[in-house]
Amino acid sequence: MKRFLLITTLLALIALPAAAQRWVNISYPWSFVEHHKAAEMLDDTKDSFIYGTERGNLIVMERDRMTGRLQVSKQREVWAPVKEIHLAEATGDTRNELVVSTRRGDLFVLESGNLADLWRTPEGYFTNINCFTVGDTDGDGQPEIILIADDKLVIMAGGEETELYRSSEDFNATDIAMADVDGDEQDEIVLNTGEVIDAKFRQIEWVHDDPFGDVFDLFDIDGDGIVEIVGVGPSGEVLILDGDEQRVKWE
């Protein structure tokens, strides 16, 4: 849902002057969060969110109920510019964790409450992480972290620093998502560069002729029970693609 809102709010806000965008971001934290991969809403009922800085800090902001102002509630360092943050059940304990990547190639899994390390990759394990998502790729009830890192599709166990899979093929996607996009009751890993990969067996099922967009989401836009691939290109053009028929529904 976060990335679907990103697509819709980006189109609405792109024409606003910088001052207006700053006002929207301060007044409505969800708008700030939707426009930054290095930010994630923690509790939208309390206007609580976390964001990462170029100086390598994670900062949790909460709105004070008395004054209505946003204030820092906690923070910590990750020692490199923060690239992407996801709040997700990553370890299989039914609670949400924070999964964080940095521009130095670090991957952290943190407790969402106190920001303490559950685990992290050793220094230099990856040199670059393009993008990542979290999901159960093999249907065993345990989540994994799916990354495009060092030009490979990599799957890490969510509960510990263990690499489960690394592709032999190169991939250069900058956005990734996972869902059953063709109605076969088996999830696919979808890359914005146009590849659709079987999540369990890690084989490419099909490749679209054109990329799905700089940013995209998987969303059942027509209510037929099967999600569509909804992307936004570099010029703001919207592409809606039917995954089961592998064709463009609307552009």
Side-chain angles (χ1 to χ4, degrees):
M1 180 59 71
K2 174 177 177 177
R3 298 191 309 174
F4 180 72
L5 288 173
L6 167 62
I7 291 169
T8 55
T9 54
L10 177 61
L11 297 178
L13 291 173
I14 196 169
L16 290 178
Q21 289 191 38
R22 285 195 296 271
W23 183 87
V24 169
N25 290 343
I26 294 170
S27 302
Y28 303 99
W30 64 266
S31 181
F32 169 80
V33 170
E34 295 305 331
H35 286 79
H36 293 78
K37 280 192 170 185
E40 183 71 279
M41 212 75 191
L42 296 175
D43 188 339
D44 56 3
T45 65
K46 298 179 181 178
D47 280 351
S48 171
F49 66 97
I50 185 170
Y51 71 96
T53 72
E54 287 294 316
R55 293 190 174 185
N57 295 308
L58 294 172
I59 300 174
V60 176
M61 302 289 292
E62 292 182 359
R63 190 180 296 281
D64 184 275
R65 292 187 177 182
M66 298 296 292
T67 66
R69 294 180 178 177
L70 290 170
Q71 58 187 12
V72 176
S73 66
K74 57 180 72 73
Q75 58 184 313
R76 65 156 288 174
E77 286 186 317
V78 291
W79 308 285
V82 179
K83 188 170 186 178
E84 192 167 354
I85 300 174
H86 288 294
L87 179 70
E89 183 188 346
T91 64
D93 63 358
T94 72
R95 294 178 297 181
N96 283 334
E97 287 79 33
L98 287 163
V99 187
V100 179
S101 66
T102 74
R103 296 189 184 279
R104 193 176 58 184
D106 307 303
L107 181 69
F108 291 82
V109 178
L110 310 175
E111 292 186 5
S112 58
N114 58 17
L115 307 185
D117 284 6
L118 292 173
W119 63 268
R120 58 165 295 187
T121 50
E123 187 174 346
Y125 188 87
F126 296 120
T127 59
N128 181 60
I129 297 175
N130 284 5
C131 53
F132 72 91
T133 190
V134 180
D136 181 5
T137 60
D138 52 14
D140 66 353
Q142 296 297 312
E144 289 85 38
I145 303 171
I146 307 102
L147 313 97
I148 299 298
D150 296 339
D151 298 324
K152 304 295 183 181
L153 172 65
V154 179
I155 298 178
M156 306 285 293
E160 59 185 3
E161 190 271 303
T162 301
E163 184 175 312
L164 303 176
Y165 172 81
R166 184 179 294 234
S167 68
S168 57
E169 304 98 328
D170 285 350
F171 297 96
N172 59 5
T174 57
D175 203 2
I176 185 172
M178 191 178 82
D180 178 9
V181 298
D182 55 14
D184 65 354
E185 300 184 356
Q186 170 63 45
D187 283 345
E188 285 79 36
I189 298 167
V190 184
L191 308 180
N192 70 316
T193 42
E195 294 92 349
V196 178
I197 302 166
D198 184 286
K200 185 174 183 178
F201 299 106
R202 292 104 191 216
Q203 298 173 340
I204 296 177
E205 293 189 355
W206 56 279
V207 180
H208 193 244
D209 292 338
D210 299 307
F212 297 136
D214 290 346
V215 293
F216 76 101
D217 197 7
L218 306 179
F219 186 76
D220 183 8
I221 201 165
D222 55 8
D224 66 353
I226 302 175
V227 297
E228 282 77 40
I229 301 167
V230 184
V232 177
S235 302
E237 66 275 13
V238 177
L239 171 75
I240 300 176
L241 193 130
D242 193 318
D244 57 336
E245 298 186 11
Q246 304 174 19
R247 64 178 180 85
V248 174
K249 298 183 75 169
W250 183 80
E251 64 180 335

